[in-house]
């Protein structure tokens, strides 16, 4: 009987040890603490109808780009051009919507076409992502330096293009294409309205607060779920996912075992460019506007969220689930100032800096547990 009890105890300890080795466990605990603290401090306003919508809006924005950044970091690389890519692709979309797209006197896209605007911007983004990835893998230069160069290059190209073509660094007052285009509505409209309808039908008061009627969540929430879901499947259920982990853990060993490490890295740089384009598209079709400052510093938020979510700076270790927890944590804190006016917004940066440092130390301890201190 004693032996059975001892065996059960050891099995429970083993399960607990497996749990604390999960890369996302730290971000999950922090997320729960933040949710409870914000709910109490805001008297529940942060999670009423409008509060949920506004919080998920910013969480989804962070989550989209952080997912791309995390997968690239797991493969052992960084992309500091994400924020500038957001501004650049947003500019391209707005320009095509307003002026069309003409090369050599040939009109490739007419003005006012959301699909064409998105496709043109995405092709530019994938091209630059491919260029960045190839420079990194072929030159052997640090991705930090290469993408830092493209951070300045793309931001400058965006501002120059605005001034040369539009005579201004912003485009506003575009037609609300959500009214006439299913594609624009899918990117900038509302989703999951049934959530509020069901709650209201069950007698809850979540559907209406004051004079503000909430029809659903922003479409970027749906796209975040899609991107995160696909990334999770690829990372944990496919050979490509194994290649990503192997590339970040030991690139030379992975290459010796037949892993196409260069192709993996180039593909992931293109994936971060895709995530930046989705971020920009949701913004443009939601606000019917774009300007040169869009995406500023978003590359730092993406990397910070990936680290808070358990992704190692050195590569080879990370989790999409952890990135989800990290995006929720950072998004809630970033938005807290709107629900607790007495809080100085600058405290958000203080919190982010502190939790980022704590996450780095925690992630390193977890890595040493798994590798036996190597």
């Amino acid at each position: 009987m004693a032996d059975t009890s001892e065996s059960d105890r050891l099995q429970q300890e083993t399960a607990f040890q497996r749990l604390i080795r999960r890369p996302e466990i730290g971000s999950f605990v922090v997320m729960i603490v933040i949710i409870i603290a914000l709910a109490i401090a805001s008297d529940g306003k942060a999670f009423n109808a409008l509060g949920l919508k506004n919080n998920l809006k910013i969480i989804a924005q962070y989550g989209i780009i952080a997912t791309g950044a995390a997968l690239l970091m797991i493969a052992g690389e960084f992309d500091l051009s994400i924020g500038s890519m957001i501004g650049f692709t947003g500019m391209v979309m707005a320009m095509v919507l307003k002026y069309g797209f003409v090369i050599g006197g040939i009109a490739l896209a007419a003005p006012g076409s959301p699909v064409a605007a998105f496709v043109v911007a995405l092709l530019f983004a994938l091209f630059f992502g491919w260029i960045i990835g190839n420079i990194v893998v072929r030159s052997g230069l640090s991705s930090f330096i290469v993408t830092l160069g493209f951070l300045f290059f793309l931001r400058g190209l965006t501002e120059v293009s605005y001034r040369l073509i539009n005579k201004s660094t912003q485009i506003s007052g575009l037609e609300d294409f959500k009214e006439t285009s299913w594609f624009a509505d899918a990117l900038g409209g509302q989703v999951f309205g049934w959530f509020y309808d069901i709650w209201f039908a069950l007698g809850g008061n979540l559907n209406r607060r004051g004079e503000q009627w909430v029809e659903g969540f922003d479409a970027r929430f749906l796209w975040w779920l899609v991107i995160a879901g696909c990334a999770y499947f690829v990372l944990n259920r496919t050979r490509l996912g194994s290649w990503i982990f192997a590339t970040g853990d030991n690139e030379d060993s992975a290459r010796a075992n037949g892993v196409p490490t260069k192709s993996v890295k180039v593909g992931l740089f293109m994936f971060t460019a895709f995530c930046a384009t989705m971020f920009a598209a949701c913004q443009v079709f939601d606000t019917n506007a774009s300007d040169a400052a869009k995406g500023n510093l978003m590359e730092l938020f993406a990397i910070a969220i990936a680290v808070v979510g358990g992704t190692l700076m050195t590569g080879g270790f990370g989790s999409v689930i952890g990135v989800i927890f990290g995006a929720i944590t950072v998004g809630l804190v970033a938005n807290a100032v709107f629900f607790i006016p007495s809080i100085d917004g600058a405290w958000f940066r203080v919190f982010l800096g502190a939790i980022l440092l704590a996450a780095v130390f925690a992630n390193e301890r977890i890595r040493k547990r798994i590798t036996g201190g190597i």
Side-chain angles (χ1 to χ4, degrees):
M1 185 69 178
D3 291 340
T4 303
S5 299
E6 181 67 10
S7 175
D8 291 341
R9 186 182 68 81
L10 289 174
Q11 288 179 359
Q12 290 174 359
E13 289 179 354
T14 302
F16 177 74
Q17 289 173 347
R18 286 199 300 268
L19 177 63
I20 63 174
R21 286 183 180 184
R22 296 289 303 175
E24 64 270 11
I25 186 63
S27 58
F28 174 75
V29 172
V30 174
M31 179 191 71
I32 295 300
V33 171
I34 293 300
I35 289 174
I36 294 173
L38 184 57
I40 295 173
S42 68
D43 193 26
K45 293 179 181 178
F47 301 104
N48 64 18
L50 189 58
L52 277 175
K53 178 180 179 180
N54 289 338
N55 277 322
L56 285 174
K57 178 178 181 179
I58 190 169
I59 288 169
Q61 287 186 158
Y62 287 155
I64 288 171
I65 55 175
T67 301
L71 264 63
L72 184 60
M73 288 171 64
I74 292 172
E77 303 292 350
F78 293 91
D79 190 351
L80 295 179
S81 69
I82 293 174
S84 295
M85 189 71 77
I86 291 171
F88 174 75
T89 53
M91 177 272 295
V92 171
M93 273 181 265
M95 289 283 196
V96 174
L97 287 170
K98 186 173 182 178
Y99 301 109
F101 186 62
V102 179
I103 295 181
I106 301 175
L108 299 179
S113 173
V115 175
F118 176 81
V119 170
V120 171
L122 180 59
L123 290 176
F124 270 112
L126 294 178
F127 171 73
F128 279 118
W130 181 82
I131 290 291
I132 293 171
N134 274 279
I135 291 175
V136 170
V137 301
R138 294 180 184 278
S139 69
L141 294 173
S142 166
S143 58
F144 181 91
I145 296 299
V146 174
T147 57
L148 180 62
F150 272 89
L151 179 154
F152 293 116
F153 174 81
L154 289 173
R155 186 65 67 182
L157 182 60
T158 300
E159 294 179 1
V160 167
S161 299
Y162 266 120
R163 292 192 175 99
L164 286 177
I165 300 174
N166 193 57
K167 311 304 179 184
S168 171
T169 56
Q170 64 178 354
I171 293 177
S172 58
L174 291 170
E175 176 188 339
D176 189 356
F177 292 100
K178 297 188 295 295
E179 300 293 332
T180 56
S181 168
W182 66 267
F183 186 81
D185 187 60
L187 289 169
Q190 308 290 318
V191 296
F192 301 144
W194 52 262
F195 174 82
Y196 293 105
D197 295 335
I198 291 175
W199 190 286
F200 183 71
L202 294 175
N205 61 353
L206 186 62
N207 204 50
R208 184 177 176 86
R209 287 296 178 99
E211 298 302 318
Q212 180 73 50
W213 184 272
V214 180
E215 296 180 353
F217 300 109
D218 285 77
R220 67 200 74 191
F221 176 46
L222 171 62
W223 290 110
W224 174 42
L225 295 179
V226 171
I227 291 172
C230 291
Y232 176 85
F233 177 80
V234 168
L235 200 60
N236 295 278
R237 297 288 186 270
T238 69
R239 178 183 296 179
L240 176 57
S242 299
W243 288 352
I244 292 171
F245 279 113
T247 299
D249 184 47
N250 189 320
E251 185 175 356
D252 291 335
S253 175
R255 190 183 302 113
N257 283 280
V259 176
T261 56
K262 291 183 178 180
S263 297
V264 168
K265 290 186 176 183
V266 172
L268 289 175
F269 276 109
M270 295 176 71
F271 179 59
T272 61
F274 166 77
C275 291
T277 305
M278 291 300 299
F279 182 111
C282 290
Q283 277 195 339
V284 169
F285 290 118
D286 176 30
T287 63
N288 306 311
S290 183
D291 66 65
K294 291 294 186 182
N296 189 35
L297 296 181
M298 281 298 163
E299 61 280 344
L300 301 183
F301 283 104
I303 293 172
I305 289 168
V307 172
V308 170
T311 305
L312 281 183
M313 303 287 285
T314 53
F317 189 76
S319 162
V320 173
I321 299 298
V323 174
I324 291 174
F325 295 154
I328 293 172
T329 299
V330 174
L332 287 177
V333 175
N335 229 21
V337 65
F338 297 105
F339 303 105
I340 314 173
S342 59
I343 294 181
D344 187 335
W347 281 107
F348 165 62
R349 293 182 177 85
V350 174
F351 169 83
L352 186 58
I355 196 174
L356 182 59
L357 288 173
V360 170
F361 285 112
N363 293 346
E364 183 62 17
R365 291 189 64 182
I366 292 172
R367 182 191 70 81
K368 287 182 177 180
R369 282 199 210 104
I370 293 175
T371 60
I374 297 175

